[in-house]
Amino acid sequence: MTTQQLIEQIKIKKSFLAVGLDVDLDKIPPHLLELEDPIFEFNKAIIDATHDLCVAYKPNIAFFEAYGIKGWMALQKTINYINDTYPDIFTIADAKRGDIGNTSSMYAKAFFEDLNFDSVTVAPYMGKDSVEPFLAFENKHTIMLALTSNEGAFDFQTLLVDGKELYKQVLETSKTWKNSENLMYVVGATKAEYFTEIRKIIPDSFILVPGVGAQGGSLSEVCKYGMNDNIGLLINSSRGIIYASKGTDYAEKARAEALKMQQEMAEIVRLKF
Amino acid sequence: MTTQQLIEQIKIKKSFLAVGLDVDLDKIPPHLLELEDPIFEFNKAIIDATHDLCVAYKPNIAFFEAYGIKGWMALQKTINYINDTYPDIFTIADAKRGDIGNTSSMYAKAFFEDLNFDSVTVAPYMGKDSVEPFLAFENKHTIMLALTSNEGAFDFQTLLVDGKELYKQVLETSKTWKNSENLMYVVGATKAEYFTEIRKIIPDSFILVPGVGAQGGSLSEVCKYGMNDNIGLLINSSRGIIYASKGTDYAEKARAEALKMQQEMAEIVRLKF
């Protein structure tokens, strides 16, 4: 999917919501555990109930890997289901990968070719040659960690490097990399006040924003400081939507939570376009 | 495996070699491609041919993920084979993971519980709460990226933070984290001259050293600057050993390459203990 197609979907759906699929067998409705593939069945119901309210799904790869081969099979079924049934949805493999060049190439192959995701999250610590193998893919997107939503973001990301925070250095340096037009960034919703400065460095890039909901970030604050002319934000909510109920009504309740967010977003999109 | 047991194995085998299992179907002997699980068969032959010469195996997770479910199955068979057949071998999941706390917990579960690796490599960018879920596991080891072997290491890792390089800040800060006695670090062999300064910060920690061989690092230089009283190094070689031959003699040739390294290491171990 191209960036322009993503922007079109935001306009059509009046939504810039990404739904995070962090499926924990201890948290899903217990009646699903009797099924052959509870993770996929849970995802499928959530997707069917929310696909018109969001523009993206973000499977969190850790939650699939934790269940070994069964988890990986559920991941493959989930991404295939989205791609086959709702091809206008933007898909994000939240994997936070990054390694030396020949190894990053294999990760890129895993997520872009084998699983056919539109995008993958990557970590910047290993620098240019760890990210460029992802950027080399046409019409695929690489979403690099800049300033994350967790407390540990203050351990290294906000340290001053030549008088400038490390995450700003990451933004500025990565802009110079080959095919950097395919780069998006992760900035946590819990750090809304930082968006003004971030937008000065990357005015046009899409930003994936985790941390609304369970982690405490505010949608309106993020929009106030982080939006650009194309909205330029993908706001992710995982637990707040998918675990809205532990009963048989979980998909319905997930839709209700997603609808609340979409309605708030619709007001914002209407003002913009 | 405890650190003390690892040190015992180094003494017994007179080796601190880790063999990296980066299995690329384009690079293994073509006759293996006819088998049902060429990745596992390749690994098994390499392991059987080298297990007495090395103290660790380091499957590179990207190379398994790139082959989807078949790759994940080959990974599971490989780690099970090592654990069942050669239980004294230290196993390293080279995965470079790291995410917010609840997600890192799932990665820790994947590699320490589901797959039963002794250790996993992690990235430091997201800070303390992204690493502590790995550290929480008893008798498991977390190997954090400090200064990597690739060119991109100079993009961020060596930037000055308050007059001190970022990788040194990573070493110093992480020493204060809970259960930091379970921390090891990655420092590339291509940066041998940096080891002196690194040892001042982490005198006792084990360091996993990639980059000898295909990437150009020197074993003797690394040992000169990086050893401590317990050796304290795991020197990894991947391509230089496993791809020594593309013929039916690949395992034999891999052994010959591993033996060259072990013999060089044996001299060093003899001088030490």
Side-chain angles (χ1 to χ4, degrees):
Chain A
M1 184 181 282
T2 65
T3 308
Q4 201 50 50
Q5 288 169 324
L6 174 59
I7 295 167
E8 281 308 309
Q9 287 299 309
I10 290 174
K11 289 181 184 173
I12 292 168
K13 291 182 165 174
K14 295 188 170 42
S15 170
F16 41 102
L17 176 63
V19 175
L21 302 172
D22 301 17
V23 185
D24 184 336
L25 291 181
D26 294 336
K27 288 189 182 155
I28 68 174
H31 72 276
L32 293 176
L33 298 177
E34 292 157 22
L35 303 175
E36 200 189 318
D37 189 343
I39 300 175
F40 172 67
E41 295 301 337
F42 178 82
N43 286 341
K44 181 176 176 299
I46 295 284
I47 292 163
D48 287 338
T50 58
H51 69 94
D52 57 321
L53 303 173
C54 66
V55 292
Y57 288 107
K58 181 176 77 62
N60 184 334
I61 307 306
F63 284 74
F64 296 89
E65 289 192 353
Y67 300 109
I69 289 161
K70 281 192 174 176
W72 203 263
M73 287 175 77
L75 175 63
Q76 193 147 63
K77 282 164 77 178
T78 301
I79 181 70
N80 288 349
Y81 184 72
I82 301 169
N83 283 338
D84 293 346
T85 318
Y86 307 109
D88 292 332
I89 292 274
F90 185 75
T91 53
I92 305 164
D94 196 2
K96 302 194 171 70
R97 300 299 196 256
D99 208 309
I100 64 169
N102 78 320
T103 300
S104 273
S105 292
M106 296 307 263
Y107 280 128
K109 187 168 136 62
F111 292 107
F112 289 153
E113 285 184 0
D114 184 62
L115 292 166
N116 198 18
F117 274 92
D118 290 311
S119 67
V120 61
T121 58
V122 303
Y125 193 73
M126 292 183 68
K128 183 177 175 174
D129 56 284
S130 71
V131 180
E132 282 190 341
F134 294 97
L135 291 173
F137 280 75
E138 193 87 20
N139 291 333
K140 297 286 185 179
H141 304 265
T142 306
I143 310 180
M144 199 161 68
L145 300 181
L147 184 62
T148 56
S149 59
N150 63 326
E151 186 59 31
F154 298 111
D155 285 328
F156 306 118
Q157 297 166 25
T158 54
L159 293 181
L160 291 183
V161 177
D162 296 332
K164 190 182 291 173
E165 292 93 336
L166 176 62
Y167 74 90
K168 289 187 185 170
Q169 196 78 44
V170 165
L171 293 172
E172 289 189 351
T173 302
S174 62
K175 278 171 63 179
T176 67
W177 294 345
K178 205 174 154 188
N179 297 321
S180 63
E181 67 276 10
N182 295 341
L183 263 181
M184 299 182 175
Y185 296 93
V186 173
V187 179
T190 50
K191 315 271 190 310
E193 67 274 26
Y194 292 74
F195 276 83
T196 310
E197 292 290 306
I198 288 169
R199 274 301 180 205
K200 288 181 187 162
I201 306 171
I202 47 153
D204 301 325
S205 305
F206 260 87
I207 302 178
L208 172 64
V209 186
V212 165
Q215 292 180 63
S218 148
L219 172 61
S220 62
E221 287 287 296
V222 169
C223 290
K224 183 173 162 189
Y225 300 111
M227 264 197 312
N228 66 14
D229 286 347
N230 291 315
I231 301 288
L233 299 172
L234 290 171
I235 306 280
N236 184 76
S237 176
S238 303
R239 289 170 272 179
I241 291 177
I242 68 174
Y243 298 133
S245 161
K246 223 179 161 166
T248 52
D249 62 346
Y250 70 100
E252 197 181 314
K253 288 283 163 62
R255 179 175 177 80
E257 289 302 317
L259 185 62
K260 272 188 227 166
M261 292 192 73
Q262 186 272 333
Q263 284 174 338
E264 202 177 336
M265 289 176 177
E267 292 300 311
I268 296 163
V269 174
R270 270 187 211 106
L271 289 171
K272 183 64 78 181
F273 297 113
Chain B
M1 183 181 282
T2 65
T3 308
Q4 202 49 49
Q5 287 169 324
L6 174 60
I7 295 166
E8 282 308 308
Q9 286 300 310
I10 290 173
K11 288 182 185 174
I12 292 168
K13 290 181 167 175
K14 296 187 171 43
S15 169
F16 41 102
L17 176 64
V19 175
L21 301 172
D22 302 16
V23 184
D24 185 337
L25 290 181
D26 293 337
K27 287 189 182 156
I28 68 174
H31 73 275
L32 294 176
L33 299 177
E34 292 157 24
L35 303 176
E36 200 189 316
D37 189 345
I39 299 175
F40 173 66
E41 294 301 336
F42 178 82
N43 286 340
K44 182 177 176 298
I46 294 284
I47 292 162
D48 287 338
T50 58
H51 69 94
D52 57 320
L53 303 173
C54 66
V55 292
Y57 288 107
K58 182 176 75 63
N60 184 336
I61 308 304
F63 284 75
F64 295 89
E65 289 192 354
Y67 300 108
I69 289 161
K70 281 192 175 176
W72 203 263
M73 288 174 76
L75 175 63
Q76 193 148 63
K77 281 164 76 178
T78 301
I79 181 69
N80 288 348
Y81 184 73
I82 300 168
N83 284 337
D84 294 346
T85 319
Y86 307 109
D88 292 332
I89 291 274
F90 185 74
T91 53
I92 304 163
D94 196 3
K96 302 194 171 70
R97 300 299 196 255
D99 208 309
I100 64 169
N102 78 320
T103 301
S104 274
S105 293
M106 295 306 263
Y107 280 128
K109 188 169 135 62
F111 292 107
F112 289 153
E113 285 184 1
D114 185 63
L115 291 167
N116 198 17
F117 274 93
D118 290 311
S119 67
V120 60
T121 58
V122 303
Y125 192 73
M126 293 182 68
K128 181 177 175 174
D129 57 283
S130 72
V131 179
E132 283 191 340
F134 295 98
L135 291 173
F137 280 76
E138 194 87 19
N139 291 332
K140 298 286 184 178
H141 305 264
T142 306
I143 310 179
M144 199 161 68
L145 300 181
L147 184 62
T148 56
S149 59
N150 63 325
E151 186 59 30
F154 298 112
D155 285 327
F156 306 117
Q157 297 166 25
T158 53
L159 293 182
L160 291 184
V161 177
D162 296 331
K164 188 183 292 172
E165 292 93 336
L166 176 61
Y167 75 89
K168 288 187 186 170
Q169 196 78 43
V170 165
L171 294 171
E172 288 189 352
T173 301
S174 62
K175 276 171 65 179
T176 68
W177 295 345
K178 206 176 152 186
N179 298 322
S180 63
E181 66 277 9
N182 295 340
L183 265 180
M184 299 181 174
Y185 296 92
V186 173
V187 179
T190 51
K191 315 273 191 307
E193 69 273 27
Y194 292 73
F195 275 83
T196 310
E197 291 291 306
I198 288 169
R199 274 299 181 206
K200 288 181 189 164
I201 308 171
I202 47 152
D204 301 325
S205 306
F206 259 87
I207 303 178
L208 172 64
V209 187
V212 164
Q215 293 180 61
S218 148
L219 172 61
S220 62
E221 287 288 295
V222 169
C223 291
K224 183 173 163 191
Y225 299 111
M227 264 195 313
N228 66 16
D229 286 346
N230 290 316
I231 300 288
L233 299 172
L234 290 171
I235 306 280
N236 183 76
S237 177
S238 304
R239 289 170 273 181
I241 291 177
I242 68 175
Y243 298 134
S245 160
K246 222 180 162 163
T248 51
D249 62 346
Y250 70 98
E252 196 182 314
K253 288 283 162 63
R255 180 175 175 82
E257 289 302 317
L259 185 62
K260 271 188 226 165
M261 292 192 74
Q262 186 272 333
Q263 284 173 337
E264 203 176 334
M265 289 175 177
E267 293 300 313
I268 296 163
V269 175
R270 268 186 214 109
L271 289 172
K272 182 64 75 178
F273 297 113

